[in-house]
Amino acid sequence: MSLRCQVLKQRIQCIFFGTLIALLPGPSASIEEPSASTKEAGQQYYVYNAKCQIPFVNPFTLDVMKNMKEHVFEECSEERDLIESKFDFDLRQYRVSIPANLSEAYLNSTGHQTITCSYQEIKRDMEAEVPDNAYAESKAYYLPHRMIVPIDTDFMITKCYMRNATTVLNEVQEDAFSFVQDKLPPQKIEHYMLEREQKPSVLIMGLDSVSRINFRRTMPKMFEFVNEEGWYEMQGYNKVGDNTFPNILAALTGHSEAGSRAICNVSEVNCLDRLPFIWRNYKQANYLTAYGEDCVELNALQYLKPGFLKQPTDYYLRHFIVALEDKFKLRHRFGNVYCVGRHLSFNYVFDFGLQFVERFVNETPIFGLLWSNSFTHDDFAAPAALDEHFLDYMERFEAAGLFENSIVVLMSDHGHRYDEIVRHGPNGFLEERLPMMFIYVPPWFRQKYPHLVKNLGKNRDRLSSNFDLYMTLRHLLQLDSQSMADIEPKAPQCASCQSLLFELPFNRSCQEAGIDEHWCSCHPTQDATNESFARPIALAVVQYMNDHLRKQHLTDLCHDYTLKHLDSLQLKMPVDANDEPRNANESYFVVNFKTNPNSAHFETTVLYKSITGGVEMNMDFISRLNSHAKDSGCVALEIPRKYCICKNSVRMEDQLHA
C-alpha cells in the first residue's frame, strides 16, 4: 500500500474515532500523569480528543538522563554584606545602615581604623535616544552609618573603603540596592482594606526555555511545590511563536508578532509604547505595576529592539540591570551572566519582586512580571542548580502573604530550542513546543468563584495557548463577566481564544487556539524520510530560503544555502476532517535538515503539493536547531538573524568546499 493510501485510510479512522471519543465524558485531569481515559493502545496523552493528540513524554528516559550534566548551585560571594537595607513601615521609608558588628569585624581582621562608604543614585536616562539601554548616575555622596533613603531614590550603588587616619587604602565592598518606594496615599490603602477580596493581585513568574517536561526532570522540589492545593497545571499549553518575544507578546498584548506589525515596527523606538500591554489595563484599574528581568542582552522585550521610550510600569528594573552589568564585574555560567558583582543576576530580579510584594500585597492590588533568563536560557540541565534556591524564594513570597490574595502564574515561553541532547532527541519537537504553565488560585477566590475554578480544572488537559493567558488576564479585571461574550476586547489575533477560567472546548484545534501549524503539537506524525519525494521537498525548501534572501535584499550580507543533509521528513497526520489541507493532493510535512555553509540546522513545516512538487512555507516560522550566535552577526533584525549565514562568518572547512 502506498504512503498516500495509508494516510487516507488513517485519516478516515481518525475521523471515525474522533466522533466516538467526542461522545465520551471528558477525562479527569491529573497533574503528574495523564488519566486512564486518555490512553489508547498503551500510549498516554496529556491532551486527547477528536482534534488534538498531545502524547505524554517520560522526562526520565535513559537517553537523556545518561547525558545530563550535574549542576549545583553556587553563590557569587561568601562575604557578609557591609550595608543593610530595611523598610521602616512606621516611617514608610527605607533605611540603610552599616551595622557596627560587621564593620568592626572587617577592621579587626586588617588592623585599620575606619570604614567609609559612598553611594550613587541610578536613574532612568530620559535624555537618551534609547532609554532602555541607558542609565543616569549621580555624583558620589557620603553614606553615613545610618541614613533614611530619600523617597525619590529607586536604585543605589554603594562603595566602601578601609582607611587609616589620613589615607583611603582600598575598596573592600561594592554593592547595589533597589528601593520599592511608597506611591500610595493613605486613603487608597483604607479603601483597599475594605474590598481586598474584590480584586485579586496578579504576579507572573517566568523562567525562560523551560518545557513542562524538563521542569519535572530538573526541578523536582519546585514541581512538588506547585502540586500543592490551589495550583493547576495547563498540560496542553502550546507555544505560539519561535522564541521569547512572540510568546510574551501574545500573553501580554493579545497580538501575534506578525499582527503587531500592523501597528508599528517593533525595531523602531516608541513602537513598544504603542502596543496595548495588559499592565496598562491593570494600571487603569488602580493596580500598582512592576516588571523586572535579568540578563541585559536577552531581555524578552528588548532583544534586538530599542525597548520602551517611556517607563512601562510603576516599578521597572531595566535601567538598574543595565547599570550593574556595565559597572560591576560579571561572571558567566550556563552560557549567560550569572553573577553581577557579589550577587546572582537572578537575585536582583526576585529580590525586587519580593520587595514589591512585601510592600504592597496587603495594601493595594498589584500586577507584576518577573522574568529570568540567567540559569535556564542556554543549558537545559541548569534549572537543577536553581531548584532549591527558587523554592526558597517561593517560601519567602508565601511568608510575605502573596498566596493569600493573589493569582500567581509560573510559566515559560518555550522549551529548549538548540540543545543537542533534548532538542535533537526523539521528543525534541514536543520539548520545544510545550512550555510549562502553572496557575495558582488563592483560597478566597476558590470560595467566591467555585465555577471559575472548576473550569480551570477542566482546562488542565485541553489545548491552550498564550492568547488564552491574555484573555485570562483580561477576565481577572472583569470578574462579573458571565461568558466570553462579556469580556472585551478579544485577543486581536485570536478571536476564538478565551479565558482559562471559562471552559475551553474539549475538541479544540491549534487553529482555534491561535497556534500556527508549524508550532502545533496536536498531530501524530509518520516518517516519510525514505520516500522518493523526500529529497525534492528538502531541495524545494532550500530554494525557497534562497529566494527569500533575495526578496529581503540580504544577499550582499548572507550566503546562499545548499542542502547538506535531510535528517528527517515527517508527515503530519490530521486527527480531524477540518484539519485536512485544502485538497487531497496537499499534505503538511515537518522537514528537519542541515545546510551549507556552517552546517546550519533547521526545521520547518511546509504545505507540499504533490502534483506540482511545490512547497509553501513561512520564514517567520522556521526553527533554527543549533545556535546562530557565530553565524548571523551581520544582521540586526530578529527573524533574519535566525537563518542568515553571514558571508564573513563562513567557517574555513565550508570555504574550502564552496
Side-chain angles (χ1 to χ4, degrees), residues 600-614:
H601 194 173
F602 295 103
E603 183 179 82
T604 191
T605 300
V606 302
L607 182 66
Y608 174 63
K609 304 175 181 182
S610 60
I611 293 179
T612 64

Side-chain angles (χ1 to χ4, degrees), residues 370-388:
L370 307 176
W371 197 269
S372 176
N373 309 283
S374 52
F375 277 82
T376 60
H377 187 273
D378 283 0
D379 189 327
F380 93 95
L386 180 63
D387 189 21
E388 190 168 350

Side-chain angles (χ1 to χ4, degrees), residues 355-483:
Q355 279 183 292
F356 182 58
V357 169
E358 289 173 337
R359 284 288 297 104
F360 298 122
V361 77
N362 294 316
E363 296 185 351
T364 189
I366 61 175
F367 175 90
L369 171 64
L370 307 176
W371 197 269
S372 176
N373 309 283
S374 52
F375 277 82
T376 60
H377 187 273
D378 283 0
D379 189 327
F380 93 95
L386 180 63
D387 189 21
E388 190 168 350
H389 189 65
F390 197 18
L391 178 62
D392 178 64
Y393 269 104
M394 296 297 273
E395 291 172 345
R396 291 162 69 187
F397 277 112
E398 188 171 34
L402 174 66
F403 297 107
E404 294 175 11
N405 194 50
S406 307
I407 303 291
V408 181
V409 181
L410 175 64
M411 65 176 292
S412 189
D413 46 357
H414 51 76
H416 261 277
R417 296 160 56 217
Y418 304 136
D419 186 84
E420 287 287 339
I421 298 170
V422 171
R423 183 58 183 90
H424 297 177
N427 297 309
F429 186 91
L430 296 173
E431 289 263 8
E432 179 191 315
R433 285 158 171 76
L434 300 175
M436 66 164 177
M437 182 188 290
F438 298 84
I439 299 176
Y440 173 81
V441 183
W444 72 266
F445 193 98
R446 283 176 255 158
Q447 294 173 5
K448 187 171 184 177
Y449 301 105
H451 58 296
L452 299 183
V453 178
K454 184 179 180 180
N455 291 334
L456 186 64
K458 289 180 179 179
N459 291 337
R460 285 187 294 194
D461 56 1
R462 300 188 184 181
L463 180 66
S464 60
S465 75
N466 310 70
F467 294 113
D468 297 317
L469 176 59
Y470 170 77
M471 293 309 303
T472 307
L473 297 176
R474 281 277 182 194
H475 190 179
L476 291 172
L477 290 172
Q478 305 171 55
L479 283 170
D480 57 347
S481 302
Q482 298 301 307
S483 70

